[in-house]
Amino acid sequence: MKAIWYERTGPAPDVLQFGRRDAPVPGAGEVRVRLAASGVNPSDTKRRAGWIGLSMPHPHIVPHSDGAGTIDAVGAGVDGSRVGERVWLWNAQGGGRPFGTAAEYAAVPAAQAVPLPDGASFADGAGLGVPGCTAHYAVYGDGPVGGKRILVQGGAGAVGHLAVQLATLGGAEVITTVSGAAKAEVARGGGARHAIDYRREDVVGRVLDLTDGEGVDRVVEVDLAANLETDVAVLRENGTIASYSSTSGPELPLAYYPLAFKDLRIHFVQGYLLPPAARRAAVRDLTTWLAAGQLDVRIAATFPLAETASAHEALESGRADGKILVEIPL
């Protein structure tokens, strides 16, 4: 099969190789998927770059955890009727698995190949795994959101845009921050009631004004180190910050008393490690809402498999509004 792989960490053009490898054979309990699209996530580029001490856990790694395609073979113990089924994948690479979706074929445990609704494209499916499950856990991991106010920091990004939609579908009033007018339209299109341009406006002042001084119940956070002070200021008592990233800095400016006096919690969200019940809920809701046409998976750019290094660089540039995909012709 054609595939992308790397044998050492470093810059994408230096370490990503394109060529042919043996296609995987599904083991017991697994399915093999002929991939049509592969999703690129920050976790994929950070692993490839060796970010914050991440090393090579395997001699050869085919990157990417997200993808979508058609099951073409099954292993022992898997119903043969699944052959021909269109599916989307989660956690294809990582957690001890070296070979992900940047290839023509991937083998994964059968439960990690989720039926893709008839009306959904492979691009939609390849954009669900990490951002969709991360967004779902960040929104719902601390309970239902009906009737609550939620601030989504970065509501036009791959995770943020899905978080806006998922919170809205759950009955929350959503306020979001964005970096310009175009991204504000994206956020409002996802259901945000208010979009605050953090480059031009006082986020704390605007949130408190929009909530009559009461603040919000929860924050979905894209950069905890950068926004912790703001989050604490806008949260009501007993509130929660669900943080799925802290790109600006791994060391937090954590002051005890501002959080303690409001009885605030920080929930560190890891999209690869959802508890089983949370994973089932995320997979169920994402698939159901996608089938109903209620979920917009925003695709920023698509690259051919041979240009996966360019896809990594596009994501690392920080200029992509939405999911970066690699297309794998069938």
Side-chain angles (χ1 to χ4, degrees):
M1 68 175 182
K2 295 177 182 177
I4 295 287
W5 71 91
Y6 59 95
E7 299 167 357
R8 60 186 176 90
T9 58
D14 295 347
V15 303
L16 290 181
Q17 303 180 52
F18 173 63
R20 290 188 174 275
R21 299 184 63 88
D22 291 339
V25 176
E30 294 184 335
V31 299
R32 187 175 73 177
V33 178
R34 175 57 171 96
L35 291 152
S38 174
V40 188
N41 293 291
S43 53
D44 300 315
T45 62
K46 290 173 181 177
R47 286 173 177 168
R48 183 265 307 148
W51 194 72
I52 309 185
L54 294 175
S55 61
M56 288 288 299
H58 310 280
H60 309 275
I61 294 176
V62 174
H64 304 174
S65 295
D66 294 347
T70 304
I71 294 175
D72 82 324
V74 299
V78 180
D79 191 336
S81 67
R82 294 204 68 183
V83 172
E85 187 177 273
R86 299 167 72 248
V87 293
W88 63 273
L89 310 183
W90 55 269
N91 284 17
Q93 195 272 314
R97 303 184 62 82
F99 302 134
T101 65
E104 290 183 313
Y105 295 92
V108 298
Q112 291 174 218
V114 183
L116 184 65
D118 289 339
S121 68
F122 288 126
D124 290 332
L128 282 184
V130 170
C133 291
T134 299
H136 192 281
Y137 192 36
V139 170
Y140 292 102
D142 296 286
V145 298
K148 296 187 180 297
R149 289 185 175 125
I150 294 183
L151 172 66
V152 177
Q153 297 273 28
V159 176
H161 183 50
L162 287 167
V164 167
Q165 297 175 72
L166 295 171
T168 300
L169 287 165
E173 176 185 334
V174 178
I175 302 170
T176 189
T177 59
V178 294
S179 60
K183 292 186 178 182
E185 288 304 309
V186 171
R188 291 192 187 97
R193 186 169 299 182
H194 307 285
I196 301 169
D197 186 339
Y198 65 83
R199 291 179 175 172
R200 296 174 176 269
E201 301 178 81
D202 171 15
V203 175
V204 173
R206 285 281 287 136
V207 170
L208 294 178
D209 181 59
L210 292 168
T211 61
D212 296 323
E214 294 183 359
V216 298
D217 299 285
R218 297 182 193 171
V219 177
V220 174
E221 183 54 70
V222 65
D223 193 343
L224 185 59
N227 298 322
L228 180 57
E229 185 176 338
T230 295
D231 296 344
V232 171
V234 301
L235 275 165
R236 302 177 65 177
E237 293 177 356
N238 314 120
T240 299
I241 303 168
S243 174
Y244 60 90
S245 186
S246 188
T247 302
S248 68
E251 295 182 1
L252 300 178
L254 193 62
Y256 174 77
Y257 288 111
L259 285 92
F261 287 166
K262 283 188 172 182
D263 187 37
L264 303 182
R265 291 170 296 282
I266 300 178
H267 175 188
F268 293 100
V269 173
Q270 173 50 260
Y272 288 87
L273 298 176
L274 272 64
R279 179 72 68 180
R280 290 192 295 271
V283 167
R284 178 198 66 221
D285 289 347
L286 290 167
T287 304
T288 298
W289 285 326
L290 186 64
Q294 295 177 286
L295 209 57
D296 171 40
V297 180
R298 183 171 173 80
I299 307 302
T302 302
F303 296 80
L305 180 63
E307 298 177 19
T308 297
S310 295
H312 279 220
E313 290 181 310
L315 191 148
E316 290 172 314
S317 75
R319 295 190 293 270
D321 294 333
K323 184 83 170 186
I324 299 288
L325 295 184
V326 169
E327 187 175 41
I328 308 164
L330 296 172

